[in-house]
């Protein structure tokens, strides 16, 4: 079992959830619900892993709050 962290946003134009795995080229998808998005991401990641180990281009570290006054 492999676990990946996806960043999820909601597109204001389509009202769809959009998700991607930072640093994992091609690991992105969308869905009408969070459950659909999760399933779509699983499918995409599985297809990418079938091609071989991913060539990560970065490392997800986290989020940061920035206060501007």
């Amino acid at each position: 079992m492999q676990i990946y962290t996806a960043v999820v946003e909601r597109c204001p134009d389509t009202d769809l959830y959009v998700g991607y795995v930072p640093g994992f080229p091609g690991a992105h998808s969308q869905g009408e619900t969070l459950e659909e998005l999760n399933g779509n991401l699983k499918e995409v990641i599985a297809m990418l892993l079938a091609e071989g180990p991913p060539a990560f281009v970065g490392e997800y570290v986290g989020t940061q709050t920035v206060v501007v006054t």
Side-chain angles (χ1 to χ4, degrees), residues 6-9 11 13 15 17 19-22 24 28-32 36 40 49-52 58 63 65 68:
V7 174
V8 178
E9 300 174 344
C11 177
D13 297 327
D15 207 31
Y17 291 102
Y20 65 94
V21 178
F24 191 157
H28 54 86
S29 192
Q30 62 186 24
E32 290 184 7
E36 180 182 13
N40 292 344
L49 292 174
E51 297 174 3
T63 62
T65 300
V68 179

Side-chain angles (χ1 to χ4, degrees), residues 3-68:
I3 299 172
Y4 298 94
T5 299
V7 174
V8 178
E9 300 174 344
R10 186 167 217 143
C11 177
D13 297 327
T14 63
D15 207 31
L16 295 174
Y17 291 102
V18 178
Y20 65 94
V21 178
F24 191 157
H28 54 86
S29 192
Q30 62 186 24
E32 290 184 7
T33 65
L34 290 172
E35 293 78 20
E36 180 182 13
L37 172 62
N38 189 274
N40 292 344
L41 284 170
K42 285 181 184 179
E43 185 177 321
V44 167
I45 291 170
M47 289 188 322
L48 292 169
L49 292 174
E51 297 174 3
F56 287 100
V57 295
E59 177 184 353
Y60 178 75
V61 175
T63 62
Q64 189 174 72
T65 300
V66 179
V67 178
V68 179

